[in-house]
Amino acid sequence: MIFRAVEDADLIVRARRGDVEAFNLLVSRWEKRVFNYLLRLTASPDDSLDLSQDVFLKAYQNIRKLDDPARFGPWLFRIAHNEACSEFRKRRPEAHEDAAALADREAAPGIALDLSLAVTAALDRLTSEQREAVVLKVYQGFKFEEISEILGAPVSTVKSRLYTALDLLKEELAPAKTRGTK
Amino acid sequence: MMESGCDREQLRDFAFDELAVPARAAMERHLAGCEACAAELAQIQLTTAALRVLPDREIPQRIAFVSDKVFEPSRAVRLFSGFWNSGARLAFVSACVLAAAIVFSAYRRPAEIRSVSPSAGNATLSRDELSREMDARINKAVSDAVARVHEEDARVMKAALESANHKAEQQRRTLMVAMSEQMNMLQKRLGVFREYAMAGPERNSGSDQ
């Protein structure tokens, strides 16, 4: 992970000097994480792909504004967060898909369907802010300080959103997991 | 239910690996003696494990917009990049390598002398010995050079003298030949004059009669 960070920093320095290949390599390293982050927020693969495209375009255009290459991850996810927020504002009137449809789309092979359904339904019951805090912490593994930077909110707010979400998820998922793994 | 003395937020921070080392150690000690907190921690871990059941999906299509012309780097950057990826770079790097080799060679030269010196044997020469040997070699080289210069000077001088002698001899011979011819000419004229003088009185007397 340390070597990876060092290599990323080197690629960022090269990309800032206009090395397109270095930036393409950065894209190939980060595109899956960004796509899955956006997919868990938007629940739409097509929208997530389009948004990912926009995220990396903006990252390329603004990479000279990145002060510390070591903070590339949070900086990139900050752009992704902003893009997702813009998307939500545009399509707010649209109805959300039901939990069953989401579960059908995200169900993992070899995993009991009722657990996948339960997880997807539980996540869908959270507010978008709570869900984003869970995605950034549990699925993307960011530290609170980094999530604070991504969301532009204080660490205390981030923790409050995450722990409130955790209380809701615990009620839903602990029994669900017991049933699903029988 | 958790006991009133338990710090629920710290327990959750612990569960998400957000505690500093001292606080983490303290929480581990607390968990060893507090069943309620241990049960709460187990429930959090069960919940996060359930969440991770949903795997990451592969991206359906690679993102590759940067190859578009619009996003190419500026002209200055491309010029610099062109230089850096061209033969000029090779020449520059070659010059650097050559310079480094010269510097390295200059620093390595005393060591080479030491290694080829027959008097050194396989023992390491001291600095004074090395200095003396270098002086001796330099003196010998200077003497040889001076001797070569003297030898060359002598050879040139000898050649010049030989050339001058040869020229003088040629001039002398030419002069001798010219003088000989003059002498022959004078002798012939003298002979003619004598014949004319001897025949003169007879012609004069014959005409008087």
Side-chain angles (χ1 to χ4, degrees):
Chain A
M1 197 66 185
I2 291 169
F3 289 122
R4 167 68 179 268
V6 169
E7 289 168 10
D8 274 358
D10 181 47
L11 290 174
I12 290 156
V13 170
R14 285 168 52 194
R16 289 165 75 150
R17 289 200 297 251
D19 186 338
V20 176
E21 285 308 311
F23 190 79
N24 271 330
L25 196 52
L26 275 174
V27 171
S28 68
R29 285 181 174 188
W30 286 87
E31 63 185 0
K32 187 177 175 183
R33 283 187 69 180
V34 170
F35 171 77
N36 275 281
Y37 165 67
L38 292 166
L39 180 62
R40 290 195 163 106
L41 298 186
T42 64
S44 162
D46 290 340
D47 287 348
S48 301
L49 190 60
D50 289 345
L51 289 173
S52 299
Q53 197 95 3
D54 294 343
V55 168
F56 284 105
L57 171 57
K58 288 199 171 168
Y60 186 72
Q61 288 171 333
N62 294 289
I63 196 153
R64 285 178 186 81
K65 293 179 187 169
L66 173 63
D67 296 326
D68 181 5
R71 309 291 295 175
F72 178 73
W75 177 79
L76 184 67
F77 273 73
R78 170 77 178 161
I79 296 173
H81 165 79
N82 290 339
E83 288 298 307
C85 288
S86 300
E87 178 66 16
F88 289 146
R89 278 195 292 274
K90 274 189 268 178
R91 69 176 187 180
R92 188 170 292 280
E94 291 179 17
H96 281 94
E97 297 177 68
D98 63 32
L102 287 170
D104 182 49
R105 200 173 52 237
E106 293 197 357
I111 303 296
L113 186 61
D114 59 349
L115 181 56
S116 293
L117 274 170
V119 170
T120 310
L123 283 171
D124 201 43
R125 283 190 199 102
L126 301 176
T127 66
S128 60
E129 289 174 338
Q130 291 167 346
R131 186 163 55 244
E132 190 169 19
V134 170
V135 169
L136 288 169
K137 186 65 190 169
V138 177
Y139 293 104
Q140 298 295 338
F142 283 113
K143 291 284 179 188
F144 285 143
E145 193 190 333
E146 293 172 323
I147 298 173
S148 162
E149 191 179 329
I150 292 165
L151 301 180
V155 170
S156 57
T157 306
V158 171
K159 286 170 78 170
S160 168
R161 288 176 190 172
L162 179 70
Y163 292 157
T164 306
L166 191 64
D167 284 337
L168 296 169
L169 291 169
K170 267 194 314 182
E171 290 171 15
E172 301 283 334
L173 296 179
K177 183 168 171 35
T178 307
R179 284 200 308 273
T181 52
K182 261 192 256 185
Chain B
M1 283 293 289
M2 293 179 71
E3 294 168 20
S4 58
C6 299
D7 189 333
R8 200 171 186 217
E9 186 175 337
Q10 277 231 326
L11 176 66
R12 291 172 171 205
D13 289 348
F14 176 82
F16 287 107
D17 197 22
E18 291 276 359
L19 280 187
V21 175
R24 185 171 184 80
M27 180 55 70
E28 281 168 354
R29 283 194 299 275
H30 173 74
L31 283 168
C34 178
E35 284 184 18
C37 285
E40 171 84 4
L41 178 64
Q43 208 176 1
I44 294 169
Q45 288 171 339
L46 200 62
T47 306
T48 54
L51 288 169
R52 290 194 181 106
V53 158
L54 297 181
D56 276 353
R57 292 180 59 168
E58 288 301 322
I59 189 162
Q61 182 186 319
R62 293 292 315 280
I63 293 171
F65 60 89
V66 180
S67 57
D68 193 312
K69 290 275 181 195
V70 172
F71 304 110
E72 278 189 358
S74 68
R75 181 178 166 76
V77 170
R78 276 187 282 123
L79 280 174
F80 178 78
S81 180
F83 161 76
W84 198 241
N85 294 317
S86 68
R89 179 177 68 165
L90 186 64
F92 178 71
V93 171
S94 302
C96 288
V97 169
L98 191 60
I102 289 167
V103 171
F104 181 73
S105 170
Y107 278 101
R108 288 285 297 170
R109 194 173 293 280
E112 284 169 9
I113 289 169
R114 188 187 337 173
S115 66
V116 296
S117 171
S119 64
N122 50 8
T124 306
L125 287 176
S126 71
R127 194 176 183 83
D128 291 337
E129 285 170 333
L130 189 63
S131 177
R132 274 199 298 279
E133 187 172 342
M134 283 182 71
D135 288 344
R137 285 182 174 230
I138 289 166
N139 289 338
K140 186 175 181 304
V142 169
S143 302
D144 289 346
V146 169
R148 276 199 300 275
V149 168
H150 285 168
E151 198 176 294
E152 182 67 14
D153 285 346
R155 193 184 63 75
V156 168
M157 185 61 76
K158 187 180 172 188
L161 279 173
E162 281 175 359
S163 173
N165 287 339
H166 182 67
K167 276 186 183 173
E169 180 65 22
Q170 276 189 331
Q171 284 176 348
R172 192 178 64 80
R173 283 181 184 175
T174 307
L175 193 62
M176 289 283 286
V177 169
M179 284 179 70
S180 173
E181 284 175 355
Q182 288 276 334
M183 190 61 78
N184 288 339
M185 184 67 72
L186 284 172
Q187 281 177 348
K188 280 180 186 173
R189 283 183 182 176
L190 188 60
V192 170
F193 184 73
R194 275 183 186 158
E195 282 175 8
Y196 182 80
M198 294 222 10
E202 289 175 7
R203 269 202 304 271
N204 292 336
S205 63
S207 62
D208 289 341
Q209 284 177 356

